[in-house]
């Protein structure tokens, strides 16, 4: 084998290795992050996670982050500091399962962040299978009355 052939073979091997690294560089745990504000909102009272009492609700429109989608996102904040988030999520592509991670920044009328919730995770998602899920959590009840907009942050 000539020096030219060895150099060509080394170059082909290097290009193949780099191409593989570029194509498969993003593991399922890597996150693409995005943010959205609710599409609709309201105030109500009745039964739910909190045994009756007043609550505020917001819905979120269709949303895509990386290979993942969310539709039908619905957040309820109860006056006693409990919350419920539900959504339908799915992924277009995954090698080892994707998870939709959602958290919320509760903002007042001036846009100031008063509280950031924990992160709520979807079930592990596989391509083309849609998942309807719900998570319950808590927030600081002292910010309930002043909360006007809960901005959703998501990653997948």
């Amino acid at each position: 084998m000539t020096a030219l052939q060895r150099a060509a073979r080394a170059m082909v091997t290097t290009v193949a290795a780099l191409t593989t690294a570029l194509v498969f560089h993003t593991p399922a745990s890597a996150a693409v992050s995005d943010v959205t504000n609710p599409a609709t909102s309201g105030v109500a009272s009745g039964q739910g996670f909190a045994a009756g009492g007043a609550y505020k609700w917001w819905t979120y429109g269709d949303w895509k982050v990386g290979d993942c989608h969310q539709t039908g996102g619905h957040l309820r904040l109860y006056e006693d500091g409990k919350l419920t988030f539900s959504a339908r999520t799915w992924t277009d592509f995954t090698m080892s399962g994707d998870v939709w991670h959602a958290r919320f920044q509760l903002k007042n009328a001036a846009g100031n962040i008063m509280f950031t919730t924990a992160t709520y995770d979807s079930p592990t998602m596989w391509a083309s299978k849609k998942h309807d899920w719900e998570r319950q959590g808590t927030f600081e009840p002292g910010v309930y009355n002043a909360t006007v907009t809960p901005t959703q942050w998501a990653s997948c």
Side-chain angles (χ1 to χ4, degrees), residues 30-49:
V32 176
S33 185
D34 202 359
V35 63
T36 191
N37 286 316
T40 58
S41 64
V43 177
S45 64
Q47 300 301 317
F49 175 56

Side-chain angles (χ1 to χ4, degrees), residues 29-82:
S29 62
V32 176
S33 185
D34 202 359
V35 63
T36 191
N37 286 316
T40 58
S41 64
V43 177
S45 64
Q47 300 301 317
F49 175 56
Y55 64 88
K56 297 179 181 184
W57 59 267
W58 294 266
T59 61
Y60 297 84
D62 295 345
W63 192 15
K64 185 172 194 248
V65 178
D67 290 332
C68 299
H69 301 262
Q70 174 188 287
T71 190
H74 188 89
L75 177 68
R76 281 186 179 189
L77 298 181
Y78 296 91
E79 62 186 346
D80 66 355
K82 295 178 181 162

